[in-house]
Amino acid sequence: MANKIAVLGSLNVDTTLSVQRMPAPGETLAVAGVKHAAGGKGGNQAIAAARSQANTLFIGQVGRDEAGQMMLKTMKDNNVDVSHINEDATVPTGSATILLDANGQNEILVFGGANQSITAESLNLKGIADLDFLITQFETPQAAALAAFTEAKAAGVRTILNPAPAHEILPELLPQTDLIVPNETESALLTGIEVTDLDSMKANAAAFKRMGIPNTIITVGSRGAFFATAAKTGFMPAYKVNAKDTTAAGDTFIGALASQLKRDFSNIEAATQYAQRASSITVQRYGALPSIPTRDEILNAEG
């Protein structure tokens, strides 16, 4: 039976600017190409889950504008339930400008817009008790995340926190989180322990456990991903591919992971491997949402 997942998060219209290299301070560079697409960490994660055949619901907000209508249509077209997305007439839909260099690396500037006007009171949490997992990130206010996670946990729903972009976490949010999934930079910022090797990854997981979060996955880019639960700890090497664009790789990982993960985390190794495979496909393609693979593509990928 497919997992039932909700993502509380951001919806942005992405503008990707292709450049040969990143500009130095004060420098003007020519842009080789411009592309527009639906995105936002929340949107990416939800579509990644849906394309891996999870029953996926989105909780969020767009502006009452053309960009917002585009985002709603994109989510519907990707089999994501949009009944819990609000429209805010006072602020525009969120947006992101992505600088993408010739090596596939990116720098991203985000305008929160309607994503940042979400409040605990504005959330539509109807039916949350029917979920297997609730996911959120930090492109929407933590106060809203706290309200949603608290209600979810009370109903026995598992909660997954992707602390990106990295911010100090509300102390009250920590014990409401079942699984935290940072990258190595975000993990180090939150724990104060630099991620360099397996021992340092274990130390980060122990630090999160002391904070009240029992399960950890740390993604380390082209190296792979570390996972730690009460029952199992390990490292899953990344698949070796020619990366063209790393945009949405982490979001693909989280959505794909949640689509496969069991509520008791007993299959965390297999789910991490599946998520790694999904991310390895994403980085070989350009764009955010267009690069996210389907379940069939993941299962049939070579390597």
Side-chain angles (χ1 to χ4, degrees):
M1 183 178 293
N3 278 352
K4 295 179 180 179
I5 296 169
V7 178
L8 164 59
S10 55
L11 294 170
N12 295 327
V13 175
D14 290 347
T15 298
T16 301
L17 307 177
S18 296
V19 294
Q20 186 63 30
R21 58 177 175 79
M22 296 300 173
E27 182 181 17
T28 299
L29 288 182
V31 173
V34 180
K35 294 181 180 179
H36 302 282
K41 294 191 72 62
N44 295 338
Q45 291 173 13
I47 288 177
R51 288 185 183 172
S52 279
Q53 300 180 3
N55 292 324
T56 309
L57 167 73
F58 198 87
I59 304 170
Q61 196 156 265
V62 295
R64 194 165 294 166
D65 50 26
E66 185 176 341
Q69 292 306 305
M70 185 193 90
M71 292 303 307
L72 290 172
K73 182 179 185 303
T74 299
M75 301 302 278
K76 289 178 186 176
D77 289 348
N78 283 276
N79 300 312
V80 176
D81 184 340
V82 301
S83 62
H84 289 50
I85 299 177
N86 300 325
E87 293 183 38
D88 188 335
T90 65
V91 291
T93 298
S95 61
T97 301
I98 302 165
L99 293 181
L100 175 66
D101 72 15
N103 295 317
Q105 295 302 307
N106 62 57
E107 293 182 1
I108 304 175
L109 302 172
V110 177
F111 168 65
N115 299 311
Q116 287 300 314
S117 65
I118 295 173
T119 65
E121 293 72 28
S122 71
L123 291 175
N124 181 350
L125 300 177
K126 183 179 179 181
I128 198 170
D130 297 329
L131 300 173
D132 293 304
F133 294 98
L134 173 62
I135 305 168
T136 198
Q137 331 76 37
F138 285 164
E139 287 187 342
T140 51
Q142 287 192 46
L146 176 59
F149 269 29
T150 300
E151 187 161 335
K153 283 279 285 184
V157 176
R158 295 295 194 176
T159 55
I160 300 175
L161 176 63
N162 172 219
H167 294 291
E168 184 176 347
I169 303 177
L170 284 175
E172 301 91 340
L173 187 58
L174 297 168
Q176 303 300 331
T177 300
D178 289 308
L179 170 65
I180 190 165
V181 190
N183 65 24
E184 70 267 42
T185 302
E186 294 153 356
S187 190
L189 286 171
L190 293 169
T191 66
I193 303 168
E194 186 179 359
V195 176
T196 56
D197 55 16
L198 188 59
D199 285 342
S200 63
M201 294 176 199
K202 291 178 179 178
N204 272 261
F208 285 127
K209 193 167 186 178
R210 289 193 295 272
M211 294 177 191
I213 303 174
N215 305 288
T216 298
I217 295 177
I218 303 171
T219 59
V220 286
S222 61
R223 287 187 287 161
F226 167 83
F227 57 88
T229 68
K232 187 179 296 186
T233 299
F235 187 83
M236 183 67 61
Y239 293 91
K240 301 303 180 185
V241 298
N242 180 26
K244 297 177 180 177
D245 181 1
T246 58
T247 307
D251 297 331
T252 298
F253 181 96
I254 290 170
L257 176 86
S259 77
Q260 304 301 303
L261 198 59
K262 293 181 179 179
R263 289 168 61 101
D264 63 0
F265 302 110
S266 60
N267 70 332
I268 193 164
E269 187 169 5
T272 299
Q273 184 174 30
Y274 178 90
Q276 288 275 65
R277 169 60 76 196
S279 292
S280 76
I281 297 172
T282 294
V283 300
Q284 296 178 73
R285 301 170 175 176
Y286 290 106
L289 293 188
S291 71
I292 298 171
T294 65
R295 176 172 171 78
D296 285 346
E297 288 177 317
I298 297 165
L299 294 179
N300 295 325
E302 296 180 359

